[in-house]
Amino acid sequence: DQQVKQNSPSLSVQEGRISILNCDYTNSMFDYFLWYKKYPAEGPTFLISISSIKDKNEDGRFTVFLNKSAKHLSLHIVPSQPGDSAVYFCAASGLGGNEKLTFGTGTRLTIIP
Amino acid sequence: EPEVTQTPSHQVTQMGQEVILRCVPISNHLYFYWYRQILGQKVEFLVSFYNNEISEKSEIFDDQFSVERPDGSNFTLKIRSTKLEDSAMYFCASSAEDGRREKLFFGSGTQLSVL
């Protein structure tokens, strides 16, 4: 039951270029979306979020875009830095006010110096 | 910066044994969670806890699992009789510092290996 999908298991990007990570969801009840970053041997770290009433949220080098009609969101990182190399998880919540997060399977981002 | 602390970082146990995973959530948070990640798979919700009771649990969280907040700071996950398939990284999380309950702060995890 993959309600949140990240179809690219890995992505390599040159340092300084833009990284675009994609996420699709199937459940129209989701109303809040988050991106988490995870380094090996550490827990997921909150990166950025977006409510379903918005279509864009920006925080420094990170921007999340939400296309509700397509049930798609993306995370843009620009410019990409070596420290951005990590696994990125898309997560969603809502389902009638429930705070439980449903995670995608993650995308491993590698920034090439 | 406040953080969620989990102990131990690694736990090895024999099948059928009981294990207790411990967590100290961020002190002013009100909602507490356990998630797990089996190697190579996605992070999965196990249980949420608020006001000293379970607010939601997944189908994974069967009668072998229990949670407790024995004092004002600790939050524990007990697996009564471990199975091989319980081997996973278990993450504790807490939230509601700013009222947004979905913004979870995770600990570094406990790697549980059941032999």
Side-chain angles (χ1 to χ4, degrees), chain A residues 22-51:
Chain A
N22 293 303
C23 177
D24 297 293
Y25 62 97
T26 56
N27 195 322
S28 57
M29 293 294 287
F30 288 142
D31 68 353
Y32 194 69
F33 304 90
L34 308 91
W35 284 93
Y36 280 83
K37 173 179 175 180
K38 186 180 181 302
Y39 293 118
E42 293 185 15
T45 302
F46 171 78
L47 200 55
I48 193 169
S49 62
I50 188 167
S51 166

Side-chain angles (χ1 to χ4, degrees), chain B residues 5-47:
Chain B
T5 306
Q6 288 186 246
T7 55
S9 56
H10 292 87
Q11 175 87 50
V12 181
T13 189
Q14 294 290 325
M15 188 171 59
Q17 295 295 305
E18 174 183 288
V19 294
I20 297 177
L21 310 183
R22 302 180 192 280
C23 170
V24 178
I26 294 174
S27 62
N28 60 344
H29 283 185
L30 303 174
Y31 296 84
F32 313 111
Y33 313 82
W34 285 99
Y35 284 75
R36 78 175 186 187
Q37 185 181 25
I38 295 171
L39 186 64
Q41 299 185 23
K42 64 179 181 178
V43 177
E44 298 176 291
F45 169 79
L46 292 179
V47 65

Side-chain angles (χ1 to χ4, degrees), chain A residues 2 4-10 22-25 72 104-107:
Chain A
Q2 286 209 38
V4 179
K5 302 178 192 178
Q6 294 176 257
N7 292 319
S8 298
S10 63
N22 293 303
C23 177
D24 297 293
Y25 62 97
H72 177 83
T105 50
T107 296

